[in-house]
Amino acid sequence: AMVPAFIFSAVAAAASAPLLGALGQPRGVLRPCQLFSLVQALGLPGVWTSSAVANVLVSQGIVGASVFCDCTAALFNLTFTGLFVRVCGMGYIGAAWATVLSNWTQFSLYMTYVVVRRK
């Protein structure tokens, strides 16, 4: 189910400039929106899987792991957004990359918890 959803998301991101243009958005924002969407799409599998694992854990009454993974990923996102946007001078696209890294960090934290806890 994730592969078709990812393909749809990637196509939607790639088609966002003409779509937003047809909806009357200013020409100056079309390409930046498209680039932001394309970068963000790279983190979707990680965040989707993390959400699924989080739901399973919470349904089993394991809330602490979910809170830890989500809060750590949020702090990671906040830190790297500031670093990429301000320090590295990447501008708005730095925020997109920080979110992608945060999504995959969250995924890694959940997978680590599941593997370690399974033993």
Side-chain angles (χ1 to χ4, degrees):
M2 276 189 12
V3 172
F6 182 74
I7 291 169
F8 174 80
S9 298
V11 169
S16 63
L19 177 62
L20 291 172
L23 293 172
Q25 294 300 307
R27 289 185 57 79
V29 301
L30 300 181
R31 183 71 177 147
C33 286
Q34 183 180 40
L35 290 174
F36 194 89
S37 298
L38 286 168
V39 170
Q40 288 269 53
L42 298 173
L44 290 177
V47 79
W48 290 337
T49 306
S50 296
S51 294
V53 172
N55 287 332
V56 170
L57 292 175
V58 170
S59 73
Q60 295 175 0
I62 305 170
V63 178
S66 210
V67 170
F68 174 80
C69 293
D70 292 348
C71 288
T72 302
L75 288 172
F76 189 92
N77 193 357
L78 179 68
T79 301
F80 277 88
T81 295
L83 180 70
F84 290 166
V85 172
R86 292 293 203 168
V87 178
C88 296
M90 294 173 70
Y92 74 94
I93 206 71
W97 280 112
T99 300
V100 169
L101 289 174
S102 149
N103 291 345
W104 286 107
T105 298
Q106 184 180 35
F107 169 81
S108 298
L109 290 169
Y110 274 112
M111 293 302 104
T112 301
Y113 175 81
V114 169
V115 169
V116 168
R117 182 74 173 157
R118 184 180 66 180
K119 292 180 180 181

